[in-house]
Structures are given as C-alpha cells and as structure tokens.
C-alpha cells in the first residue's frame, strides 16, 4: 500500500504508475505524484486536529501551489455533503463526517487514483455503507479506487478483488 | 506552498501552545532587550565623553604644583609655581597657543543677605578661551583690569543663581572674602561635569587675587593650550625642562610639579567606556544565545509532537522543503516577535534609565537594526536543526506515529 501510494520506493522490483517508473523518482517527484495523482483515505482519517474541515481540504491545494484554494475546497466538501460543516474542526465532527472530510481532501485535486486503507474500519456499518456509496459514485465518474479491507461485504463492492494472506497473493480474480 | 499560508500555519502552531511559546519568546525578549539597553548605555557614555572633550577644551595641559606620587596628585601645599614660571614657559617652549596662570581657592561670597562658598579663580582672559568658557552677559576683564589690579568679577551661572536668583546681577557689587567687587560679566552655563560644577566659579584678575584677596605670590595652576595634538608630547617635555631648570631640581630628583594631559585622560575614558560597552553587550549576547537554545529546544519538542501532522502533510503532497520552511518560519516568527518586543522593551528601559537613573542613554537606529538582525539570525541558526529534522522524517514512519 505504501509503495502504491508513493510513500515508499520498492527495494526490489518495479512499480510503474501512469507510465512513470516510481523507483527512479526522487523525494520531490514522489511528493508531486502523491499531491497530483493519488488521494489518500485512511482508517483513522488522519485529519489535522487544529485545522477546520475546510483548511484540511485546502491542504493539498496549497502544496500544489494553488493561490486561491477556497473555492475548490468548498466544492469538494459540497460533493461529500458537508457544505454546512466546513468551519468545524475534526473533534466537532462525527466519524462518518470526518471520513467524508478525508475523502473531500483526497478528491479535491481530482486525482486519477484514490487509495483507501480500511476506510470503514472505524465506522459503524451504516456510515460505512454511505462511504462506499460515495466511492461508487466517484468510481462511476472514472476514478480508480484501490481499497484494502478485511470485510468481505465491503470488498463485494469492488470490481476486482485480490486476496492476500500473510503477504502472499492467494486469488487474483 | 504559499508564504502567507506558511505564516498562518506557523501562527496557528504558536497559538496552540501560548504559555510555552511566550516563555520561549521571553528568552529572546530579554536577550534583544538587554542588547538594545546596553548599547544605548554605551552610546550614552560615548556621548558624555565627547561632551567632556568640548567642555574641557582640546589639547589642554595643566601644570600643578606638587609631585605625582602613586595616584596622589598633590602631596602637600607646595608653593613653588609662580607667574614668572608661566611667562618663561610661554617664551621658551614652542608650540603653545595659549597659556593662562591661575590662582584658585575657595572663598566666601556675599550679596545682600545671601551667602555662598564658591571657587574663586584669579586668572587672565586667556583662561576662558583655553577652557571653553563663554561670556553670556557683559565683558570679561582684560589686561588693563589686571594691570590696574581692579576689583572686578565675572561670575558663573550657578553663583548668579545662588546670589541673585532671577534678578539682574550685572553691575551689582558683591563681597568676596569681605572685599567689594563689581560684577562686569556673567558667564554662560557650561553644565555639570564629572568632577565639579564649572559654573560655580567666580573669575577675577590674577593680580587682584594675589595682591588684594589671598595675599599669595604663588599660583595654583598653569593652563596650557597646545597648537595641535601632535605637539602635546613635545610641549610637555619643554614645560618639564623649563620648570625643572627654574626650580633647580637635580637631574635624579623628582619634579615638584605635575603636568596633566587632558587629551590623554579623555582617550582613557573613551577606551574605558568602549570596554564597558563591549563587556555589557557580550553579557547581553550570551542571554540571547540562551534564548536561542530555548527556541531550539521548544522546536524540537514541537517537531516530535507533530510527527503525525508532518506525515499527513507529506502524504497529501508536501515536499521536504515545504516542511523545512514551515518549521523554520515558525522558529523565526517566535524570534522575530520576541525581537520586536525586545526592541520596544530595551528602548523603554533605556528611556527610563536616562529619565530616572544616573545613566545617559542614546538609542541609535543601528542598535535597533542590530537587535532585529540578531533575532532573525537566532531564529535561523536555532531553527534550522529542528526544521531539518522534521523535513527528513520518513513519511510512513511519521504517519504511523501516535
């Protein structure tokens, strides 16, 4: 997952993303790829606690050098249905709302790939379902979503399932 | 990432720990504040020395009776110096611009019912030029007054105030040691010097002081103004030779007079005040250094505390240099804010010192610029290590950090 997310380089083997060999890139190149091509959704949300929902979503825009980040960030928050909670901080939001902020942050720069690491792991099943609906919607509009999960019913949403046990690929479907 | 955004982020990081940040800032405030205050004291001392130079007059030598012995200038009431000595010096030593012998003793003065004890200086008109005195009102006595042994006096501004208050003094008659003198001049105020009040003084013709007032043949000092500073050593030597010859002092015996070189004294003061400033500023700089270490300490704590945040920022696309500049600017915001408050504090302290204390302080623009620069430099020097540490974190490790 770290290698797919360009947080790490493979020690052996090759990883080509969008035609670029990741193992040859430097730190700045990786940062740019993470910024432009990949959106992260974590199990534990990983929002900045001292910043509002809006500011959290603005973050990738700033690192992309966007001068006025606000309109795009508001747009992304509206897309995940949080337009009324933009000035709340993470600790003032429910788990589902936090994950939606994280999704808004992941999709704000329209990356072709979203990586979701157990996105529903910390949520109740109803909220988890809402999140999955959101992913489906994104997927239908052309975003590739790579998701890691332990739950078979969540995995059932995916088009392609790869089962991995103890580091070995069991069933390439 | 945009500069404004970084500043805002830094600002937020600082506000999140108000107490911690203000204590850290206090170190910088004290450091910069004391540098500003110390420099202003040093600058003030320098000004005072400059003022003393103009007050004493330049290239001044003063001959006094009595030998210098281990710091004591006069050993006893030696009565060897005479007007003839002064005349001979003027005739035989080249390089002298002006020379004025003087009789100086304290005496009792009286006007109507007011009494004052003051310095009575019997001298020649050249004395006031050598010592930079100015006549405010009336005319100073001249050679004719000396020749005629007239009972006329030029009084200093302190004497005028003590005896006459606000009423006019010129033309009035005062008693000096019981003798009547007419006031023909009031001197301009010279201001307090380090040793004595030069305005608490009455000038009378030297002949009058010797023959009518103190009944003494000897004089108390000879004031010599040398043509230019380079000739001071030569003139000093000449004066010494002439006087030793006139006083018939054996070659291996000690002189019965002392020559004081004011230019040298002023130079010594200048050096002393400079050493003083350097020393005090050094101490101030050390306190700034300690403040800087405090900044580094707190930034290191901050980096550790915010490892997770750094990981998140890296995951959404922050480059190493973005993280570096974020933490560096945070350190700079602390030191520069502290620096500005320190400049204000230091300036206020300097102003208070000169208003309520004994110190003369002068605040120069360059000391403020220096204080500001120091706070920036401290921020850079002590901020770079924690910021680098933050930027070199491994994104995966940082994200995993709880």
């Amino acid at each position: 997952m770290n290698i797919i997310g360009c947080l790490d380089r493979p020690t052996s083997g090759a990883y080509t993303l969008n035609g670029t060999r990741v193992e040859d890139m430097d730190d700045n190149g990786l940062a740019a790829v993470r910024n432009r091509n990949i959106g992260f959704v974590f199990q534990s949300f990983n929002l900045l606690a001292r910043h509002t929902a809006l500011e959290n979503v603005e973050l990738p825009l700033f690192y992309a050098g966007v001068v006025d980040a606000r309109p795009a960030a508001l747009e992304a928050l509206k897309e995940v249905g949080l337009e009324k909670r933009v000035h709340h901080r993470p600790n003032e939001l429910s788990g589902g709302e936090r994950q939606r902020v994280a999704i808004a942050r992941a999709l704000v720069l329209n990356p072709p790939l979203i990586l979701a690491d157990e996105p529903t792991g910390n949520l109740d099943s109803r909220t988890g379902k809402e999140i999955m609906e959101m992913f489906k919607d994104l997927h239908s509009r052309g975003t590739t979503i790579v998701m890691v999960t332990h739950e078979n019913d969540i995995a059932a949403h995916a088009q392609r399932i790869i089962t991995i046990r103890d580091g070995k690929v069991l069933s390439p479907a | 990432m945009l500069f404004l955004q970084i500043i805002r982020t830094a600002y937020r990081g600082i506000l999140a720990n108000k107490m911690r940040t203000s204590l850290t800032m206090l170190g910088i405030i004290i450091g910069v504040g004391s540098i500003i205050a110390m420099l202003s004291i040093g600058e003030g001392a320098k000004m005072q020395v400059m003022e003393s130079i103009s007050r004493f007059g330049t290239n001044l030598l003063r001959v006094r009776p009595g030998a210098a012995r281990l710091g004591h200038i006069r050993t006893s009431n030696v009565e060897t110096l005479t007007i003839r000595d002064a005349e001979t010096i003027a005739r035989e030593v080249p390089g002298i611009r002006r020379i004025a012998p003087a009789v100086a003793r304290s005496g009792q003065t009286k006007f109507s019912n007011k009494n004052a004890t003051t310095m009575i200086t019997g001298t020649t008109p050249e004395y006031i030029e050598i010592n930079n005195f100015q006549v405010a009102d009336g005319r100073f006595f001249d050679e004719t007054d000396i020749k005629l042994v007239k009972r006329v006096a030029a009084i200093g501004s302190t004497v005028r105030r003590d005896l006459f208050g606000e009423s006019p003094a010129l033309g009035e008659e005062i008693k000096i040691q019981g003798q009547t003198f007419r006031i023909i001049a009031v001197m301009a105020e010279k201001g307090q010097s380090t040793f004595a009040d030069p305005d608490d003084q009455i000038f009378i013709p030297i002949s009058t002081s010797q023959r009518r007032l103190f009944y003494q043949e000897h004089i108390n000092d000879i004031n010599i103004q040398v043509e230019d500073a380079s000739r001071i050593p030569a003139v000093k030597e000449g004066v010494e030779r002439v006087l030793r010859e006139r006083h018939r002092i054996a070659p291996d015996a000690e002189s019965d007079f002392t020559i004081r070189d004011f230019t040298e004294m002023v130079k010594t003061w200048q050096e002393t005040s400079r050493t003083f400033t350097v020393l005090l500023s050094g101490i101030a700089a050390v306190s700034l250094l300690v403040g800087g270490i405090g900044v580094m300490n707190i930034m290191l704590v901050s980096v550790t505390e915010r490892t997770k945040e750094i990981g998140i920022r890296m995951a959404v696309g922050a480059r190493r240099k973005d993280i570096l500049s974020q933490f560096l600017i945070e350190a700079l915001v602390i030191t520069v804010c502290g620096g500005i408050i320190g400049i204000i504090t230091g300036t206020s302290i300097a102003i208070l010192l000169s208003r309520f204390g004994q110190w003369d302080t002068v605040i120069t623009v360059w000391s403020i610029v220096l204080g500001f620069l120091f706070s920036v430099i401290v921020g850079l020097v002590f901020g770079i290590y924690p910021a680098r540490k933050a930027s070199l974190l491994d994104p995966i490790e940082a994200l995993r950090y709880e």
Side-chain angles (χ1 to χ4, degrees):
Chain A
M1 198 70 180
N2 287 334
I3 290 171
I4 298 175
C6 295
L7 287 163
D8 203 357
R9 275 178 287 251
T11 42
S12 64
Y15 170 35
T16 307
L17 177 70
N18 259 354
T20 321
R21 287 166 60 89
V22 172
E23 63 268 25
D24 296 340
M25 294 173 93
D26 64 2
D27 286 345
N28 282 342
L30 288 182
V33 170
R34 291 197 296 267
N35 187 230
R36 293 285 177 175
N37 295 338
I38 302 170
F40 287 92
V41 178
F42 301 93
Q43 178 178 4
S44 54
F45 322 130
N46 280 349
L47 299 173
L48 298 184
R50 284 201 297 266
H51 295 243
T52 64
L54 181 63
E55 287 165 335
N56 267 289
V57 178
E58 281 175 345
L59 211 55
L61 293 161
F62 286 128
Y63 289 121
V66 176
V67 178
D68 188 9
R70 183 144 296 195
L74 281 172
E75 184 61 35
L77 279 165
K78 202 172 163 192
E79 216 167 307
V80 298
L82 281 179
E83 62 269 33
K84 292 211 171 81
R85 315 280 287 167
V86 293
H87 294 299
H88 289 260
R89 295 192 180 188
N91 60 4
E92 297 160 345
L93 298 170
S94 73
E97 285 170 329
R98 285 184 217 183
Q99 197 58 299
R100 282 192 285 174
V101 173
I103 292 169
R105 183 179 66 187
L107 60 80
V108 69
L109 277 167
N110 290 318
L113 175 64
I114 284 181
L115 284 186
D117 187 357
E118 303 238 24
T120 58
N122 280 359
L123 302 173
D124 58 59
S125 58
R126 198 172 57 83
T127 327
K129 220 177 212 166
E130 277 172 31
I131 299 294
M132 288 320 295
E133 288 305 317
M134 213 165 273
F135 279 150
K136 270 187 171 163
D137 184 43
L138 279 170
H139 181 244
S140 68
R141 283 185 281 157
T143 310
T144 306
I145 295 171
V146 176
M147 186 172 69
V148 176
T149 184
H150 287 111
E151 296 165 65
N152 283 327
D153 54 332
I154 295 289
H157 291 278
Q159 278 184 336
R160 181 178 167 204
I161 299 171
I162 300 169
T163 313
I164 299 176
R165 177 165 294 161
D166 299 334
K168 294 248 190 289
V169 177
L170 284 187
S171 63
Chain B
M1 187 131 127
L2 296 152
F3 189 70
L4 196 80
Q5 189 60 29
I6 302 180
I7 294 275
R8 240 176 68 190
T9 309
Y11 186 66
R12 176 152 326 184
I14 285 163
L15 281 188
N17 288 296
K18 284 196 197 74
M19 187 65 179
R20 194 164 88 181
T21 313
S22 36
L23 285 176
T24 310
M25 218 181 258
L26 193 63
I28 302 295
I29 293 171
I30 291 171
V32 172
S34 49
I35 285 180
I36 299 277
M38 292 310 136
L39 284 177
S40 76
I41 288 171
E43 206 58 38
K46 205 156 95 189
M47 273 272 281
Q48 248 181 345
V49 172
M50 294 300 182
E51 266 176 36
S52 320
I53 295 173
S54 66
R55 198 177 287 153
F56 278 127
T58 43
N59 307 335
L60 192 65
L61 292 178
R62 184 169 285 168
V63 184
R64 294 203 141 162
R69 212 170 271 160
L70 280 174
H72 299 281
I73 304 269
R74 262 183 287 189
T75 48
S76 60
N77 269 341
V78 188
E79 304 186 348
T80 50
L81 221 52
T82 63
I83 289 187
R84 292 229 177 280
D85 287 336
E87 284 166 0
T88 316
I89 289 169
R91 205 168 47 237
E92 290 186 9
V93 181
I96 291 174
R97 179 179 289 159
R98 297 190 181 97
I99 184 162
V103 169
R105 287 174 70 162
S106 85
Q108 191 72 29
T109 58
K110 201 175 168 218
F111 177 73
S112 69
N113 61 342
K114 282 186 185 127
N115 276 295
T117 303
T118 173
M119 183 58 75
I120 315 291
T121 305
T123 186
T124 63
E126 297 206 295
Y127 185 92
I128 62 164
E129 289 176 60
I130 294 172
N131 291 292
N132 271 0
F133 280 97
Q134 304 281 330
V135 175
D137 216 356
R139 64 160 188 95
F140 204 78
F141 53 80
D142 55 21
E143 291 300 330
T144 320
D145 296 315
I146 294 173
K147 211 166 278 169
L148 298 176
V149 201
K150 278 198 169 170
R151 287 192 172 91
V152 289
I155 64 172
S157 58
T158 305
V159 181
R160 193 197 63 79
R161 219 175 6 253
D162 287 349
L163 292 183
F164 295 94
E166 292 307 309
S167 50
L170 208 63
E172 295 289 347
E173 291 194 332
I174 55 167
K175 297 260 190 201
I176 302 175
Q177 302 282 79
Q179 306 226 24
T180 305
F181 280 76
R182 194 160 51 79
I183 295 170
I184 58 167
V186 176
M187 307 306 288
E189 182 147 356
K190 224 176 160 193
Q192 189 76 39
S193 92
T194 326
F195 306 121
D197 180 6
D199 298 319
D200 191 9
Q201 193 165 198
I202 296 178
F203 301 99
I204 58 173
I206 188 163
S207 53
T208 316
S209 71
Q210 285 180 308
R211 284 182 249 161
R212 299 258 158 96
L213 204 59
F214 299 126
Y215 306 106
Q216 65 176 47
E217 195 55 37
H218 69 273
I219 56 175
N220 302 93
D221 56 48
I222 301 173
N223 294 269
I224 299 168
Q225 190 174 33
V226 182
E227 271 170 11
D228 68 87
S230 63
R231 305 195 68 162
I232 289 175
V235 170
K236 233 167 134 178
E237 215 168 280
V239 169
E240 186 137 3
R241 186 175 43 77
V242 168
L243 286 180
R244 284 179 74 95
E245 205 171 283
R246 282 185 56 83
H247 294 181
R248 297 205 174 79
I249 296 163
D252 52 348
E254 247 186 296
S255 298
D256 61 350
F257 56 88
T258 315
I259 304 170
R260 270 167 66 168
D261 180 349
F262 277 78
T263 313
E264 201 159 281
M265 269 176 64
V266 165
K267 247 188 232 155
T268 313
W269 288 354
Q270 243 163 349
E271 261 153 45
T272 313
S273 76
R274 196 174 305 136
T275 314
F276 188 61
T277 311
V278 168
L279 193 75
L280 289 178
S281 310
I283 293 168
V286 168
S287 76
L288 186 60
L289 186 80
V290 174
I293 293 169
V295 170
M296 179 141 119
N297 192 11
I298 233 58
M299 289 312 295
L300 282 172
V301 170
S302 175
V303 168
T304 308
E305 271 182 0
R306 288 154 68 189
T307 301
K308 182 93 176 181
E309 177 190 326
I310 295 163
I312 294 169
R313 285 176 183 276
M314 284 175 163
V316 302
R319 287 160 299 174
R320 298 209 179 279
K321 69 171 188 190
D322 291 323
I323 302 294
L324 183 87
S325 51
Q326 183 192 332
F327 281 89
L328 193 57
I329 283 171
E330 212 169 297
L332 275 174
V333 167
I334 294 177
T335 60
V336 169
C337 286
I340 290 168
I341 299 171
I343 287 170
I344 295 166
T345 319
T347 311
S348 320
I349 288 171
I351 290 167
L352 288 178
L353 275 178
S354 60
R355 188 157 301 169
F356 300 110
Q358 297 283 359
W359 303 87
D360 267 340
T361 59
V362 176
I363 295 147
T364 55
V365 175
W366 75 265
S367 74
I368 287 174
V369 171
L370 197 77
F372 187 78
L373 278 182
F374 269 9
S375 61
V376 171
I377 290 167
V378 165
L380 285 175
V381 168
F382 292 98
I384 195 86
Y385 174 69
R388 227 182 101 73
K389 200 179 158 199
S391 76
L392 291 178
L393 284 175
D394 176 40
I396 302 161
E397 293 293 323
L399 268 175
R400 245 180 238 150
Y401 186 89
E402 286 303 332

